[in-house]
Amino acid sequence: MPVRATFQLKGLDAYLEDLSAAGQNVDLVAAELLSEVAPYAENELRRNLLNTKQAGETWTGETEGNIEVSDVQQDGNFSFFELSIKPTSDAQEIKKEFGTARQPAEPFFRITLRGHLLKNKVKAVMKQLLQKYGVSA
Amino acid sequence: MTSIFVLTEMALGTINPPIAFSLAPYSGNPLPDQYVAHQLLPSSALAHADNKEIARGYVVQVTIWSRTGLAVLPDVDAAMNAAGFKKGDVKQLPQDEKTGHFGLATEYSYLEVSFS
């Protein structure tokens, strides 16, 4: 099973309504926003994974290589991308994220989604798009 | 102020019948057939006033490890809820191939508010 979680940020609706009132296609703007954020999220996940590396540890790089980010997708009014890690041969990503019977958790996925950096990035890109389309933030 | 670790262990200590527990990683040897390991996850300050932190949201991962499967487990939820924790995400973990334990990880959040 891949490691997967949901990141949702409240408070963007008002911005999107402003864009709609300004005549912009909200779905296209949301897709533009997410396409800017997706690679950032992928890099943040990789950075947080590598931050768990202890001195002297040798890694195969399999978990890092299995990080995936999808294209922006739409389901009705819901726009999203998927950030995930394909299962490794021995579920290393789950062992690291949640721990084992003898090993504490070294969370990297949850802190990527819950930390402030990703939220700040979304807000910053949103403001850029508002400026681009002539809507005051 | 009581630390989050003390609060967690006080809660786990109320489970009846008692279950072995410790801060992760569980260091007992040999490992019990069933035990609980708890761990503080990164937990952010939520509010400040006058340059002082006044609220923090702690997130604790409590993992039940059991060699006999996950059908019959100690009532960690009740113990943690009674201590003021709120249940969050639950995740079944792969069986530990070295020890034979199955794992169930549950997150509990705890809001600490301090006014001084």
Side-chain angles (χ1 to χ4, degrees):
Chain A
M1 70 185 87
V3 175
R4 182 174 292 154
T6 303
F7 168 83
Q8 291 184 313
L9 186 59
K10 295 176 182 174
L12 296 180
D13 294 4
Y15 292 141
L16 295 175
E17 285 173 10
D18 289 345
L19 284 162
S20 179
Q24 298 299 327
N25 183 321
V26 170
D27 289 338
L28 290 178
V29 177
E32 191 173 354
L33 169 70
L34 293 176
S35 66
E36 287 280 331
V37 172
Y40 180 85
E42 182 181 11
N43 287 336
E44 272 300 292
L45 179 57
R46 181 167 288 107
R47 186 180 69 81
N48 284 321
L49 170 65
L50 295 176
N51 279 348
T52 67
K53 190 170 187 175
Q54 309 289 325
E57 277 186 348
T58 302
W59 287 12
T60 64
E62 187 181 6
T63 301
E64 183 185 355
N66 282 4
I67 293 174
E68 288 185 331
V69 64
S70 74
D71 292 334
V72 176
Q73 302 170 63
Q74 190 171 7
D75 182 7
N77 287 331
F78 187 63
S79 297
F80 63 98
F81 64 83
E82 289 182 333
L83 180 64
S84 60
I85 302 175
K86 281 189 302 183
T88 55
S89 53
D90 55 355
Q92 274 303 322
E93 69 287 354
I94 294 177
K95 293 174 182 173
K96 178 169 279 295
E97 180 72 32
F98 294 98
T100 70
R102 284 288 195 194
Q103 172 187 315
E106 296 178 278
F108 61 97
F109 202 94
R110 287 173 284 182
I111 63 174
T112 300
L113 298 183
R114 294 174 186 171
H116 65 281
L117 293 178
L118 188 54
K119 291 174 186 167
N120 289 350
K121 178 66 176 180
V122 172
K123 291 174 184 172
V125 174
M126 188 77 239
K127 285 182 180 175
Q128 289 172 6
L129 292 175
L130 290 169
Q131 287 181 345
K132 175 179 174 181
Y133 294 113
V135 177
S136 58
Chain B
M1 182 173 289
T2 308
S3 80
I4 192 68
F5 302 103
V6 171
L7 287 171
T8 303
E9 299 211 340
M10 283 172 62
L12 295 174
T14 65
I15 295 172
N16 193 14
I19 180 144
F21 64 84
S22 87
L23 190 63
Y26 192 92
S27 56
N29 202 6
L31 289 174
D33 287 340
Q34 195 173 75
Y35 65 96
V36 169
H38 65 91
Q39 178 174 353
L40 178 65
L41 301 183
S43 301
S44 303
L46 298 179
H48 293 80
D50 296 331
N51 293 324
K52 288 183 181 175
E53 178 185 317
I54 59 169
R56 178 169 293 268
Y58 287 106
V59 181
V60 176
Q61 177 179 316
V62 176
T63 309
I64 304 172
W65 294 102
S66 175
R67 285 197 173 102
T68 55
L70 300 173
V72 180
L73 299 176
D75 196 351
V76 172
D77 287 348
M80 296 297 281
N81 287 337
F85 289 83
K86 183 178 170 188
K87 188 177 182 181
D89 293 347
V90 179
K91 170 86 174 168
Q92 181 187 336
L93 306 183
Q95 185 179 24
D96 191 305
E97 61 266 28
K98 292 178 184 166
T99 71
H101 288 84
F102 297 89
L104 184 70
T106 305
E107 290 182 11
Y108 297 92
S109 58
Y110 185 91
L111 177 63
E112 180 186 78
V113 179
S114 55
F115 296 104
S116 56

